[in-house]
PDB file of all heavy atoms in Angstrom:
ATOM      1  N   ARG C   1       0.859  -1.219  -0.008  1.00  0.00           N
ATOM      2  CA  ARG C   1      -0.034  -0.022  -0.022  1.00  0.00           C
ATOM      3  C   ARG C   1       0.857   1.273  -0.032  1.00  0.00           C
ATOM      4  O   ARG C   1       0.550   2.243  -0.735  1.00  0.00           O
ATOM      5  CB  ARG C   1      -0.947   0.008   1.197  1.00  0.00           C
ATOM      6  CG  ARG C   1      -1.758   1.249   1.294  1.00  0.00           C
ATOM      7  CD  ARG C   1      -3.042   1.009   2.019  1.00  0.00           C
ATOM      8  NE  ARG C   1      -2.865   0.562   3.411  1.00  0.00           N
ATOM      9  CZ  ARG C   1      -3.882   0.386   4.299  1.00  0.00           C
ATOM     10  NH1 ARG C   1      -5.168   0.526   3.927  1.00  0.00           N
ATOM     11  NH2 ARG C   1      -3.637  -0.040   5.521  1.00  0.00           N
ATOM     12  N   HIS C   2       1.876   1.194   0.776  1.00  0.00           N
ATOM     13  CA  HIS C   2       2.839   2.368   0.821  1.00  0.00           C
ATOM     14  C   HIS C   2       3.492   2.620  -0.498  1.00  0.00           C
ATOM     15  O   HIS C   2       3.710   3.748  -0.935  1.00  0.00           O
ATOM     16  CB  HIS C   2       3.920   2.126   1.817  1.00  0.00           C
ATOM     17  CG  HIS C   2       4.953   3.247   1.974  1.00  0.00           C
ATOM     18  ND1 HIS C   2       6.126   3.309   1.344  1.00  0.00           N
ATOM     19  CD2 HIS C   2       4.849   4.396   2.689  1.00  0.00           C
ATOM     20  CE1 HIS C   2       6.797   4.457   1.471  1.00  0.00           C
ATOM     21  NE2 HIS C   2       6.060   5.116   2.352  1.00  0.00           N
ATOM     22  N   GLU C   3       3.807   1.453  -1.271  1.00  0.00           N
ATOM     23  CA  GLU C   3       4.405   1.603  -2.609  1.00  0.00           C
ATOM     24  C   GLU C   3       3.449   1.872  -3.680  1.00  0.00           C
ATOM     25  O   GLU C   3       3.816   2.055  -4.794  1.00  0.00           O
ATOM     26  CB  GLU C   3       5.227   0.325  -2.874  1.00  0.00           C
ATOM     27  CG  GLU C   3       6.417   0.027  -2.001  1.00  0.00           C
ATOM     28  CD  GLU C   3       7.470   1.103  -2.185  1.00  0.00           C
ATOM     29  OE1 GLU C   3       7.710   1.416  -3.331  1.00  0.00           O
ATOM     30  OE2 GLU C   3       8.041   1.555  -1.141  1.00  0.00           O
ATOM     31  N   LYS C   4       2.160   1.820  -3.324  1.00  0.00           N
ATOM     32  CA  LYS C   4       1.080   2.093  -4.290  1.00  0.00           C
ATOM     33  C   LYS C   4       1.127   0.912  -5.444  1.00  0.00           C
ATOM     34  O   LYS C   4       0.914   1.216  -6.610  1.00  0.00           O
ATOM     35  CB  LYS C   4       1.116   3.445  -4.909  1.00  0.00           C
ATOM     36  CG  LYS C   4       0.924   4.542  -3.904  1.00  0.00           C
ATOM     37  CD  LYS C   4       0.938   5.932  -4.513  1.00  0.00           C
ATOM     38  CE  LYS C   4       0.583   6.984  -3.547  1.00  0.00           C
ATOM     39  NZ  LYS C   4       1.367   7.101  -2.371  1.00  0.00           N
ATOM     40  N   VAL C   5       1.332  -0.197  -5.002  1.00  0.00           N
ATOM     41  CA  VAL C   5       1.326  -1.363  -5.906  1.00  0.00           C
ATOM     42  C   VAL C   5       0.203  -2.322  -5.534  1.00  0.00           C
ATOM     43  O   VAL C   5       0.084  -2.673  -4.330  1.00  0.00           O
ATOM     44  CB  VAL C   5       2.677  -2.189  -5.876  1.00  0.00           C
ATOM     45  CG1 VAL C   5       2.661  -3.440  -6.718  1.00  0.00           C
ATOM     46  CG2 VAL C   5       3.776  -1.296  -6.251  1.00  0.00           C
ATOM     47  N   PRO C   6      -0.718  -2.633  -6.376  1.00  0.00           N
ATOM     48  CA  PRO C   6      -1.895  -3.492  -6.075  1.00  0.00           C
ATOM     49  C   PRO C   6      -1.481  -4.856  -5.449  1.00  0.00           C
ATOM     50  O   PRO C   6      -0.471  -5.381  -5.876  1.00  0.00           O
ATOM     51  CB  PRO C   6      -2.605  -3.637  -7.410  1.00  0.00           C
ATOM     52  CG  PRO C   6      -2.154  -2.442  -8.200  1.00  0.00           C
ATOM     53  CD  PRO C   6      -0.765  -2.143  -7.786  1.00  0.00           C
ATOM     54  N   PHE C   7      -2.337  -5.314  -4.674  1.00  0.00           N
ATOM     55  CA  PHE C   7      -2.110  -6.455  -3.801  1.00  0.00           C
ATOM     56  C   PHE C   7      -3.357  -7.333  -3.910  1.00  0.00           C
ATOM     57  O   PHE C   7      -4.424  -6.849  -3.711  1.00  0.00           O
ATOM     58  CB  PHE C   7      -1.849  -5.977  -2.416  1.00  0.00           C
ATOM     59  CG  PHE C   7      -1.500  -6.927  -1.365  1.00  0.00           C
ATOM     60  CD1 PHE C   7      -0.181  -7.299  -1.156  1.00  0.00           C
ATOM     61  CD2 PHE C   7      -2.436  -7.549  -0.595  1.00  0.00           C
ATOM     62  CE1 PHE C   7       0.079  -8.188  -0.123  1.00  0.00           C
ATOM     63  CE2 PHE C   7      -2.207  -8.414   0.442  1.00  0.00           C
ATOM     64  CZ  PHE C   7      -0.879  -8.805   0.645  1.00  0.00           C
ATOM     65  N   SER C   8      -3.171  -8.611  -4.123  1.00  0.00           N
ATOM     66  CA  SER C   8      -4.269  -9.541  -4.139  1.00  0.00           C
ATOM     67  C   SER C   8      -4.128 -10.740  -3.238  1.00  0.00           C
ATOM     68  O   SER C   8      -2.957 -11.116  -2.932  1.00  0.00           O
ATOM     69  CB  SER C   8      -4.410 -10.086  -5.536  1.00  0.00           C
ATOM     70  OG  SER C   8      -4.725  -9.081  -6.475  1.00  0.00           O
ATOM     71  N   LEU C   9      -5.159 -11.298  -2.702  1.00  0.00           N
ATOM     72  CA  LEU C   9      -5.166 -12.416  -1.866  1.00  0.00           C
ATOM     73  C   LEU C   9      -6.072 -13.447  -2.477  1.00  0.00           C
ATOM     74  O   LEU C   9      -7.165 -13.220  -2.878  1.00  0.00           O
ATOM     75  CB  LEU C   9      -5.767 -12.106  -0.455  1.00  0.00           C
ATOM     76  CG  LEU C   9      -4.980 -11.038   0.315  1.00  0.00           C
ATOM     77  CD1 LEU C   9      -5.757 -10.745   1.644  1.00  0.00           C
ATOM     78  CD2 LEU C   9      -3.599 -11.514   0.705  1.00  0.00           C
ATOM     79  N   ALA C  10      -5.511 -14.748  -2.459  1.00  0.00           N
ATOM     80  CA  ALA C  10      -6.293 -15.894  -2.857  1.00  0.00           C
ATOM     81  C   ALA C  10      -6.550 -16.676  -1.606  1.00  0.00           C
ATOM     82  O   ALA C  10      -5.636 -17.045  -0.872  1.00  0.00           O
ATOM     83  CB  ALA C  10      -5.548 -16.739  -3.837  1.00  0.00           C
ATOM     84  N   ILE C  11      -7.849 -16.830  -1.215  1.00  0.00           N
ATOM     85  CA  ILE C  11      -8.203 -17.280   0.070  1.00  0.00           C
ATOM     86  C   ILE C  11      -8.801 -18.762   0.078  1.00  0.00           C
ATOM     87  O   ILE C  11      -9.652 -19.120  -0.651  1.00  0.00           O
ATOM     88  CB  ILE C  11      -9.371 -16.345   0.604  1.00  0.00           C
ATOM     89  CG1 ILE C  11      -8.952 -14.956   0.646  1.00  0.00           C
ATOM     90  CG2 ILE C  11      -9.852 -16.830   1.966  1.00  0.00           C
ATOM     91  CD1 ILE C  11      -7.774 -14.642   1.563  1.00  0.00           C
ATOM     92  N   THR C  12      -8.257 -19.542   0.956  1.00  0.00           N
ATOM     93  CA  THR C  12      -8.798 -20.815   1.296  1.00  0.00           C
ATOM     94  C   THR C  12      -9.761 -20.625   2.418  1.00  0.00           C
ATOM     95  O   THR C  12      -9.295 -20.161   3.526  1.00  0.00           O
ATOM     96  CB  THR C  12      -7.642 -21.827   1.749  1.00  0.00           C
ATOM     97  OG1 THR C  12      -6.710 -21.900   0.683  1.00  0.00           O
ATOM     98  CG2 THR C  12      -8.220 -23.176   2.039  1.00  0.00           C
ATOM     99  N   THR C  13     -11.000 -20.758   2.173  1.00  0.00           N
ATOM    100  CA  THR C  13     -12.037 -20.251   3.060  1.00  0.00           C
ATOM    101  C   THR C  13     -12.126 -21.020   4.478  1.00  0.00           C
ATOM    102  O   THR C  13     -12.638 -20.491   5.413  1.00  0.00           O
ATOM    103  CB  THR C  13     -13.374 -20.215   2.421  1.00  0.00           C
ATOM    104  OG1 THR C  13     -13.710 -21.537   1.988  1.00  0.00           O
ATOM    105  CG2 THR C  13     -13.418 -19.233   1.235  1.00  0.00           C
ATOM    106  N   GLN C  14     -11.585 -22.171   4.596  1.00  0.00           N
ATOM    107  CA  GLN C  14     -11.695 -22.939   5.817  1.00  0.00           C
ATOM    108  C   GLN C  14     -10.856 -22.186   6.956  1.00  0.00           C
ATOM    109  O   GLN C  14     -11.026 -22.496   8.104  1.00  0.00           O
ATOM    110  CB  GLN C  14     -11.160 -24.379   5.707  1.00  0.00           C
ATOM    111  CG  GLN C  14      -9.793 -24.555   5.364  1.00  0.00           C
ATOM    112  CD  GLN C  14      -9.329 -26.018   5.467  1.00  0.00           C
ATOM    113  OE1 GLN C  14     -10.175 -26.895   5.784  1.00  0.00           O
ATOM    114  NE2 GLN C  14      -8.060 -26.351   5.223  1.00  0.00           N
ATOM    115  N   ILE C  15      -9.858 -21.347   6.531  1.00  0.00           N
ATOM    116  CA  ILE C  15      -9.039 -20.692   7.544  1.00  0.00           C
ATOM    117  C   ILE C  15      -9.522 -19.236   7.820  1.00  0.00           C
ATOM    118  O   ILE C  15      -8.864 -18.667   8.538  1.00  0.00           O
ATOM    119  CB  ILE C  15      -7.607 -20.709   7.109  1.00  0.00           C
ATOM    120  CG1 ILE C  15      -7.376 -19.930   5.756  1.00  0.00           C
ATOM    121  CG2 ILE C  15      -7.038 -22.168   6.939  1.00  0.00           C
ATOM    122  CD1 ILE C  15      -5.875 -19.756   5.460  1.00  0.00           C
ATOM    123  N   LEU C  16     -10.669 -18.900   7.215  1.00  0.00           N
ATOM    124  CA  LEU C  16     -11.196 -17.529   7.453  1.00  0.00           C
ATOM    125  C   LEU C  16     -11.542 -17.451   8.930  1.00  0.00           C
ATOM    126  O   LEU C  16     -12.229 -18.323   9.559  1.00  0.00           O
ATOM    127  CB  LEU C  16     -12.344 -17.256   6.640  1.00  0.00           C
ATOM    128  CG  LEU C  16     -12.125 -16.647   5.251  1.00  0.00           C
ATOM    129  CD1 LEU C  16     -13.423 -16.651   4.505  1.00  0.00           C
ATOM    130  CD2 LEU C  16     -11.569 -15.289   5.404  1.00  0.00           C
ATOM    131  N   GLU C  17     -11.093 -16.290   9.636  1.00  0.00           N
ATOM    132  CA  GLU C  17     -11.462 -16.038  10.940  1.00  0.00           C
ATOM    133  C   GLU C  17     -12.276 -14.763  10.991  1.00  0.00           C
ATOM    134  O   GLU C  17     -12.282 -13.969  10.025  1.00  0.00           O
ATOM    135  CB  GLU C  17     -10.242 -15.858  11.789  1.00  0.00           C
ATOM    136  CG  GLU C  17      -9.364 -17.080  11.818  1.00  0.00           C
ATOM    137  CD  GLU C  17      -8.079 -16.898  12.580  1.00  0.00           C
ATOM    138  OE1 GLU C  17      -7.861 -15.701  13.111  1.00  0.00           O
ATOM    139  OE2 GLU C  17      -7.176 -17.799  12.586  1.00  0.00           O
ATOM    140  N   SER C  18     -12.980 -14.472  12.035  1.00  0.00           N
ATOM    141  CA  SER C  18     -13.810 -13.329  12.141  1.00  0.00           C
ATOM    142  C   SER C  18     -12.949 -12.029  11.898  1.00  0.00           C
ATOM    143  O   SER C  18     -13.396 -11.070  11.251  1.00  0.00           O
ATOM    144  CB  SER C  18     -14.572 -13.273  13.389  1.00  0.00           C
ATOM    145  OG  SER C  18     -13.623 -13.260  14.511  1.00  0.00           O
ATOM    146  N   SER C  19     -11.777 -12.080  12.399  1.00  0.00           N
ATOM    147  CA  SER C  19     -10.930 -10.817  12.234  1.00  0.00           C
ATOM    148  C   SER C  19     -10.514 -10.592  10.844  1.00  0.00           C
ATOM    149  O   SER C  19     -10.062  -9.582  10.419  1.00  0.00           O
ATOM    150  CB  SER C  19      -9.763 -11.021  13.142  1.00  0.00           C
ATOM    151  OG  SER C  19      -8.950 -12.131  12.820  1.00  0.00           O
ATOM    152  N   SER C  20     -10.530 -11.702  10.069  1.00  0.00           N
ATOM    153  CA  SER C  20     -10.114 -11.612   8.632  1.00  0.00           C
ATOM    154  C   SER C  20     -11.035 -10.736   7.743  1.00  0.00           C
ATOM    155  O   SER C  20     -10.636 -10.160   6.751  1.00  0.00           O
ATOM    156  CB  SER C  20      -9.937 -12.979   8.000  1.00  0.00           C
ATOM    157  OG  SER C  20      -9.090 -13.796   8.647  1.00  0.00           O
ATOM    158  N   ARG C  21     -12.249 -10.608   8.181  1.00  0.00           N
ATOM    159  CA  ARG C  21     -13.227  -9.944   7.338  1.00  0.00           C
ATOM    160  C   ARG C  21     -12.893  -8.478   7.146  1.00  0.00           C
ATOM    161  O   ARG C  21     -12.928  -7.922   6.034  1.00  0.00           O
ATOM    162  CB  ARG C  21     -14.613 -10.093   7.986  1.00  0.00           C
ATOM    163  CG  ARG C  21     -15.153 -11.444   7.984  1.00  0.00           C
ATOM    164  CD  ARG C  21     -16.461 -11.688   8.666  1.00  0.00           C
ATOM    165  NE  ARG C  21     -16.912 -13.031   8.619  1.00  0.00           N
ATOM    166  CZ  ARG C  21     -17.911 -13.456   7.776  1.00  0.00           C
ATOM    167  NH1 ARG C  21     -18.526 -12.490   7.088  1.00  0.00           N
ATOM    168  NH2 ARG C  21     -18.288 -14.620   7.852  1.00  0.00           N
ATOM    169  N   LYS C  22     -12.510  -7.801   8.235  1.00  0.00           N
ATOM    170  CA  LYS C  22     -12.154  -6.397   8.108  1.00  0.00           C
ATOM    171  C   LYS C  22     -10.894  -6.212   7.245  1.00  0.00           C
ATOM    172  O   LYS C  22     -10.788  -5.303   6.468  1.00  0.00           O
ATOM    173  CB  LYS C  22     -11.871  -5.818   9.496  1.00  0.00           C
ATOM    174  CG  LYS C  22     -11.434  -4.380   9.474  1.00  0.00           C
ATOM    175  CD  LYS C  22     -12.547  -3.387   8.928  1.00  0.00           C
ATOM    176  CE  LYS C  22     -12.159  -1.961   9.115  1.00  0.00           C
ATOM    177  NZ  LYS C  22     -10.985  -1.568   8.518  1.00  0.00           N
ATOM    178  N   TYR C  23      -9.946  -7.128   7.363  1.00  0.00           N
ATOM    179  CA  TYR C  23      -8.701  -7.078   6.606  1.00  0.00           C
ATOM    180  C   TYR C  23      -9.032  -7.259   5.068  1.00  0.00           C
ATOM    181  O   TYR C  23      -8.558  -6.463   4.304  1.00  0.00           O
ATOM    182  CB  TYR C  23      -7.776  -8.132   7.105  1.00  0.00           C
ATOM    183  CG  TYR C  23      -6.514  -8.304   6.270  1.00  0.00           C
ATOM    184  CD1 TYR C  23      -5.763  -7.154   5.773  1.00  0.00           C
ATOM    185  CD2 TYR C  23      -5.937  -9.549   6.014  1.00  0.00           C
ATOM    186  CE1 TYR C  23      -4.642  -7.280   5.104  1.00  0.00           C
ATOM    187  CE2 TYR C  23      -4.737  -9.635   5.322  1.00  0.00           C
ATOM    188  CZ  TYR C  23      -4.088  -8.509   4.888  1.00  0.00           C
ATOM    189  OH  TYR C  23      -2.969  -8.665   4.110  1.00  0.00           O
ATOM    190  N   LEU C  24      -9.898  -8.165   4.743  1.00  0.00           N
ATOM    191  CA  LEU C  24     -10.256  -8.387   3.407  1.00  0.00           C
ATOM    192  C   LEU C  24     -10.898  -7.155   2.769  1.00  0.00           C
ATOM    193  O   LEU C  24     -10.773  -6.799   1.700  1.00  0.00           O
ATOM    194  CB  LEU C  24     -11.143  -9.563   3.186  1.00  0.00           C
ATOM    195  CG  LEU C  24     -10.593 -10.960   3.687  1.00  0.00           C
ATOM    196  CD1 LEU C  24     -11.551 -12.104   3.272  1.00  0.00           C
ATOM    197  CD2 LEU C  24      -9.199 -11.246   3.024  1.00  0.00           C
ATOM    198  N   GLU C  25     -11.826  -6.508   3.593  1.00  0.00           N
ATOM    199  CA  GLU C  25     -12.455  -5.308   3.184  1.00  0.00           C
ATOM    200  C   GLU C  25     -11.435  -4.203   2.923  1.00  0.00           C
ATOM    201  O   GLU C  25     -11.608  -3.479   1.955  1.00  0.00           O
ATOM    202  CB  GLU C  25     -13.530  -4.879   4.221  1.00  0.00           C
ATOM    203  CG  GLU C  25     -14.747  -5.853   4.273  1.00  0.00           C
ATOM    204  CD  GLU C  25     -15.582  -5.518   5.416  1.00  0.00           C
ATOM    205  OE1 GLU C  25     -15.091  -4.708   6.371  1.00  0.00           O
ATOM    206  OE2 GLU C  25     -16.795  -6.017   5.462  1.00  0.00           O
ATOM    207  N   ASP C  26     -10.452  -4.060   3.796  1.00  0.00           N
ATOM    208  CA  ASP C  26      -9.358  -3.097   3.602  1.00  0.00           C
ATOM    209  C   ASP C  26      -8.651  -3.276   2.304  1.00  0.00           C
ATOM    210  O   ASP C  26      -8.300  -2.307   1.543  1.00  0.00           O
ATOM    211  CB  ASP C  26      -8.426  -3.173   4.787  1.00  0.00           C
ATOM    212  CG  ASP C  26      -9.004  -2.548   6.084  1.00  0.00           C
ATOM    213  OD1 ASP C  26     -10.109  -1.905   6.059  1.00  0.00           O
ATOM    214  OD2 ASP C  26      -8.401  -2.790   7.183  1.00  0.00           O
ATOM    215  N   VAL C  27      -8.311  -4.533   1.944  1.00  0.00           N
ATOM    216  CA  VAL C  27      -7.497  -4.861   0.761  1.00  0.00           C
ATOM    217  C   VAL C  27      -8.381  -4.415  -0.467  1.00  0.00           C
ATOM    218  O   VAL C  27      -7.799  -3.794  -1.396  1.00  0.00           O
ATOM    219  CB  VAL C  27      -7.273  -6.412   0.710  1.00  0.00           C
ATOM    220  CG1 VAL C  27      -6.716  -6.729  -0.700  1.00  0.00           C
ATOM    221  CG2 VAL C  27      -6.210  -6.756   1.779  1.00  0.00           C
ATOM    222  N   VAL C  28      -9.667  -4.767  -0.507  1.00  0.00           N
ATOM    223  CA  VAL C  28     -10.512  -4.336  -1.657  1.00  0.00           C
ATOM    224  C   VAL C  28     -10.754  -2.905  -1.697  1.00  0.00           C
ATOM    225  O   VAL C  28     -10.641  -2.256  -2.783  1.00  0.00           O
ATOM    226  CB  VAL C  28     -11.837  -5.102  -1.557  1.00  0.00           C
ATOM    227  CG1 VAL C  28     -12.816  -4.582  -2.656  1.00  0.00           C
ATOM    228  CG2 VAL C  28     -11.654  -6.560  -1.706  1.00  0.00           C
ATOM    229  N   GLU C  29     -11.002  -2.267  -0.457  1.00  0.00           N
ATOM    230  CA  GLU C  29     -11.196  -0.793  -0.547  1.00  0.00           C
ATOM    231  C   GLU C  29      -9.934  -0.029  -1.000  1.00  0.00           C
ATOM    232  O   GLU C  29     -10.151   0.987  -1.766  1.00  0.00           O
ATOM    233  CB  GLU C  29     -11.536  -0.351   0.926  1.00  0.00           C
ATOM    234  CG  GLU C  29     -11.877   1.177   1.018  1.00  0.00           C
ATOM    235  CD  GLU C  29     -12.185   1.527   2.459  1.00  0.00           C
ATOM    236  OE1 GLU C  29     -12.396   0.606   3.298  1.00  0.00           O
ATOM    237  OE2 GLU C  29     -12.288   2.726   2.679  1.00  0.00           O
ATOM    238  N   TRP C  30      -8.832  -0.516  -0.710  1.00  0.00           N
ATOM    239  CA  TRP C  30      -7.616   0.134  -1.105  1.00  0.00           C
ATOM    240  C   TRP C  30      -7.384  -0.039  -2.622  1.00  0.00           C
ATOM    241  O   TRP C  30      -6.643   0.790  -3.270  1.00  0.00           O
ATOM    242  CB  TRP C  30      -6.313  -0.409  -0.339  1.00  0.00           C
ATOM    243  CG  TRP C  30      -5.100   0.201  -0.858  1.00  0.00           C
ATOM    244  CD1 TRP C  30      -4.616   1.437  -0.736  1.00  0.00           C
ATOM    245  CD2 TRP C  30      -4.127  -0.579  -1.666  1.00  0.00           C
ATOM    246  NE1 TRP C  30      -3.435   1.589  -1.381  1.00  0.00           N
ATOM    247  CE2 TRP C  30      -3.107   0.347  -1.931  1.00  0.00           C
ATOM    248  CE3 TRP C  30      -4.063  -1.850  -2.105  1.00  0.00           C
ATOM    249  CZ2 TRP C  30      -2.002  -0.005  -2.660  1.00  0.00           C
ATOM    250  CZ3 TRP C  30      -2.943  -2.159  -2.846  1.00  0.00           C
ATOM    251  CH2 TRP C  30      -1.963  -1.312  -3.102  1.00  0.00           C
ATOM    252  N   GLY C  31      -7.855  -1.025  -3.245  1.00  0.00           N
ATOM    253  CA  GLY C  31      -7.650  -1.292  -4.675  1.00  0.00           C
ATOM    254  C   GLY C  31      -7.042  -2.631  -5.004  1.00  0.00           C
ATOM    255  O   GLY C  31      -6.709  -2.887  -6.146  1.00  0.00           O
TER     256      GLY C  31
END
């Protein structure tokens, strides 16, 4: 984010935790 280079995550959903939701939203909101 500091370097202004897009970042993507490929998610295996069995390891999703409740705290991950906000993080995923941040990734998408940033671009």
Side-chain angles (χ1 to χ4, degrees):
R1 179 156 59 178
H2 179 267
E3 293 295 316
K4 296 181 172 57
V5 176
F7 181 90
S8 298
L9 297 175
I11 302 298
T12 303
T13 54
Q14 70 171 358
I15 63 172
L16 272 172
E17 302 174 1
S18 57
S19 59
S20 301
R21 294 174 177 256
K22 178 63 169 63
Y23 176 40
L24 300 188
E25 290 171 348
D26 287 346
V27 169
V28 172
E29 182 179 351
W30 173 73

